[in-house]
Each structure stands twice: as C-alpha cells, then as structure tokens.
Amino acid sequence: MTVVNALTAELGEAIVLAGDRIPEKSRSDQSLSGKHLPLAVIRPTTVQQVATALRICNAHGQAVVPQGGMTGLAGGANPRSGDVVISLDRLAGIEDIDAAAGTMTAFAGTVLEVAQKAAEEAGFLLPIDLGARGSCQIGGNLSTNAGGIRVITHGVTRDNVLGLEAVLADGTVISSLNRMQKNNTGYDLKQLFIGSEGTLGIITRAVLKLKPLPDGRATALCGLNRFEDVLALLHEARKGLSGLSAFELMWEAYFRFSREGEGLSFFEADYPFTVIIEQSGGSDEAFEAFLGEMFEKELISDALIAQSEKDRERFWKVREGATFDSLPRLINFDVSLPIGVLDQFATEVTASLEQEFPGIHVSVFGHVADSNIHLCASAGEIDEATEHRIDTVVYEHVRQYQGSISAEHGIGTLKRDYLPYSRSAEELDLMRRIKAALDPNGIMNPGKVLPVA
Ligand SMILES: Cc1cc2nc3c(=O)[nH]c(=O)nc-3n(C[C@H](O)[C@H](O)[C@H](O)COP(=O)(O)OP(=O)(O)OC[C@H]3O[C@@H](n4cnc5c(N)ncnc54)[C@H](O)[C@@H]3O)c2cc1C
C-alpha cells in the first residue's frame, strides 16, 4: 500500500489531500524560495491524528514537512516534491486561560493574533508579537523561536513558554504541558522543540506566559548624529523609562528610502541615525521629561512625540518598510552581533558589497537593543550564484565578529550551508546526534537546518 493510501485509509479524505486538492499555499513559505508540489497535505484536527500520520509516515520512511502559517523567511516550511506536509491550520484554538497562574494553553495552529486578542479580552498581554501576527501560528513561532518587537521587554518566544506538547517522528506524544514558573525535574525537554524548525517533532500545544496589560503607550521618533549617542540613549532609556517597550534603530539609507517610498517627511534633514523609542505604561509627562533630559545631554538632536495613533502609525510605517518589497530580488539578512560593533559592521559590510556589486542597494535597520540588525540588499535581477556571493560576503563579516547568521528568522534551507559560520563542528555533531536519537529514520523536515556532514 502506498503511504498516501495508508494515510487516507486511517485518516480519511477530509484530512488527507492529494493531487489537485493540494492548496497553492502549501508550496512555499514567505521566503518564496523553491516552490514544489508536495505528495500530500494532511490537515489533522486532533493531536491523535498528528500521531497517527507520523506513525504511518515513519513506517514508510516518508519525509514530513510541518507547516504553520507559512510566513517563515528561511524556507523551513517549504516541501520538496514527494514530501508529505502536515499542516497545523486546523489544530487551532485556545484551550485554557489560567488567570491565577497567568498562563494560556493553546493549540499549535492558533494564529498569533487570535491568541493575543484572547489574552487581551482576559486582561492580559501575550508578549509574543511580530509583523506577521495575522497569519503566523503559535506552533510556527515556537518552532522558529521568533523574535519580534517586544523582545526588549519580554525576551524571545523561548522566554515566554512554560510547557509544550510535541509528537515525535514515530508518533509518540510527549506531553510536557508544565504551567509552573519553577520546575527543575531533569532535562528541559521543551527546549528541544523550540527553535528546531520542525526537524525533531511536531509541536501540538503550548503553555504560554501571560503578563499584565500595560496602561498607555508613548512613542517618539528621534534623530541622532553618532552611534555612540544611540548606545548612550539606549542605556539612559533602560534606566530612566518605566517601561521601555521598543528601541528600533534605522540607519540613514534605510530611513530615507522607506520615508520617501511612503511619501512621508519628519525632520528638516535626515539624521545618520533615527530611533523609534516607545514606552508602555508610565505617564506621558515622564516620557516627555525623559526626552527633554536627553536633549540637554545632547544625545538627541531632534525628536517628534506621537500626538495621536495616526502619528504613531506613521513612525512605524517607516520602520516596517513595506516599500522595500518593490526592490528586485531583495535579500533580507537577519544577523546579530555584539551591540558595540553594530555600526562598524554595517559600515564595513556596506563598503564590501558596494565594491563587489556596484550599484547595489544596501540599507540597515534593527532591534538594536537585542543586538539584532536586518540588512536589506538588492542588486537587481541577479542569478542564484550572485545571490550566493552576496550571502557569502555578508556572512564572512558576521563570522569575523563571531556573530550569529540568524538572530530570529531561523536557518531553514536558505542559511543551512552557512550554519558552520556560527556553530562549531562539535556543536553541529551534537545537533546531529540529537536528531538521530529523536528521528532515527530522518523523516522530520529533512534537508532543513543541519548542513550535510
Ligand atoms: C511581514 C513579516 C514580518 C515578520 N516579522 C518577524 C519578526 O519580527 N521576528 C521574527 O522572528 N520573524 C518574523 N517573521 C518571520 C515569521 O513570521 C516567523 O518565523 C514565524 O514565527 C513563522 O511562523 P509560521 O506559523 O508562519 O511558521 P511557518 O512559516 O509555517 O514554519 C516555520 C518553521 O517552523 C516549522 N513549523 C511550523 N509549525 C510547526 C509545528 N507546529 N511544529 C513543528 N514545526 C513547525 C516549519 O516546518 C518551518 O520550519 C516575519 C515574517 C513576515 C512575513
């Protein structure tokens, strides 16, 4: 019996889609790297169905690709022809909000924004947040250990997870739905599945931490002349603001390109560095007083405080940079480096790219408080070999500074061959041994994350 027949016999045609019933969406994530038609798409509605599907695939040695909201930017959810996709779309919903413990238990397929709204209705903040919130899923967020815009206050996704449930390649369900802050009972198994991009098992449920909903929000756009001033401002903001919730830096080329693309203007002239600084909770008066103090210390040269939601949206629009999508073959690097060298790195890598690829667009922005910057590069309608050379130039610089080739988007296929730039041979070997122990037949998302030995 073929694997598709075996899956259909146990799970039924409503759950197993094959041939022209396979939705277009399952061919590629947002990296749009490689579009292949999978052999079948399985859409389980229960944890038991996930276990059944994996058990059958494992027995057939069938490769499986877990898919969440398909917003990933590293190619991790892309199937190859012949892979079976397990889509978590229909394993969705909030199981429980425990107000006393401040936890939410949700199924993996729950869309992040749905979970955020449910938390808000119960009077809490779900600290995980990113631009793709309307489509990405809790399971995808955990599998990529997503970062986003609240990391400065609440940490990355990993820091907001208390427990999880995952199904192993052979169909074993590991229910580790811990709800306690403290639990030192041996290995922390959930960490194996967080950030491993579906290569060790399928996450089916998670217990997430909730925080009190902050009251009020104040936002300013600040122009600065020197990178040292950016670092000093960050230090002062951490010390002086009651709830620093964003500190996003845009280098001049990024700010100008995005601002002009959106048809917006703010200051008389653009500054070498523009920072969006945001406070959640705390009073508007204290925020204004803080900015006044920063003027006096001559860290800020100019600042605008949002007077309305519309103002705030205008500031964030420039930072979100939708206008970059118009650039051909845009490569969005997601790297982290020690915070003190970020500007030096940006300057050096820009110079190297401009020298090797004349006319290339390079611009930089980032969650600078998290040591994470994104570098946008577009050299026109380039071929794959040129794209690979651009990658290599950037990652060579990252390696020199002992930085990370992926701060938050993950490795997938796009960065797989560069993983040795950030991880030692011993670390990679241990990763392979963990993979072999949990997935001896190598059916879980093969070809992703780990470079060929
Ligand atoms: C507009 C936009 C803004 C973004 N902003 C950010 C940002 O600020 N920070 C950030 O970190 N990322 C960001 N991303 C990237 C992306 O949204 C995140 O990586 C997100 O966490 C992926 O979730 P997903 O549900 O879409 O996962 P998918 O893309 O479907 O899958 C991602 C990976 O996880 C695996 N996977 C998915 N679900 C499961 C599961 N249940 N069990 C096991 N493995 C699974 C897949 O196999 C794949 O390897 C952004 C993307 C877009 C398009």
Side-chain angles (χ1 to χ4, degrees), residues 132-179:
R133 65 183 74 77
S135 310
C136 64
Q137 299 174 3
I138 296 296
N141 300 148
L142 266 65
S143 303
T144 55
N145 185 29
I149 49 188
R150 292 200 184 130
V151 174
I152 188 171
T153 330
H154 302 289
V156 292
T157 295
R158 191 186 293 288
D159 301 314
N160 294 290
V161 182
L162 286 173
L164 65 65
E165 178 181 75
V167 185
L168 300 183
D170 65 2
T172 308
V173 179
I174 305 289
S175 223
S176 195
L177 291 166
N178 165 66
R179 290 168 178 236

Side-chain angles (χ1 to χ4, degrees), residues 73-75 143-145 195 197 334 395 405-416 449:
L73 297 171
S143 303
T144 55
N145 185 29
E197 299 178 55
D334 153 48
Y395 293 139
I405 59 160
S406 174
E408 57 176 12
H409 294 163
I411 299 299
T413 51
L414 292 187
K415 286 170 243 169
R416 183 193 59 198
V449 182

Side-chain angles (χ1 to χ4, degrees), residues 30-88:
Q30 277 291 320
S31 72
L32 303 178
S33 54
K35 281 192 158 198
H36 295 111
L37 187 69
L39 182 65
V41 174
I42 307 175
R43 301 181 304 161
T45 56
T46 66
V47 177
Q48 207 41 56
Q49 288 170 351
V50 176
T52 302
L54 281 173
R55 178 176 47 76
I56 294 170
C57 288
N58 196 43
H60 284 77
Q62 170 62 52
V64 170
V65 183
Q67 289 188 346
M70 300 300 277
T71 67
L73 297 171
N78 289 351
R80 303 165 305 181
S81 311
D83 287 348
V84 162
V85 161
I86 297 190
S87 162
L88 279 300

Side-chain angles (χ1 to χ4, degrees), residues 310-322:
K310 209 166 165 199
D311 280 351
R312 195 183 342 264
E313 275 168 21
R314 278 158 32 99
F315 297 170
W316 277 105
K317 217 172 200 176
V318 184
R319 156 61 190 78
E320 275 156 16

Side-chain angles (χ1 to χ4, degrees), residues 89-96 104-111 114 205:
D89 277 359
R90 300 204 301 171
L91 189 69
I94 312 294
E95 199 175 54
D96 166 61
M104 166 189 282
T105 307
F107 284 99
T110 311
V111 169
V114 171
R205 276 189 291 178

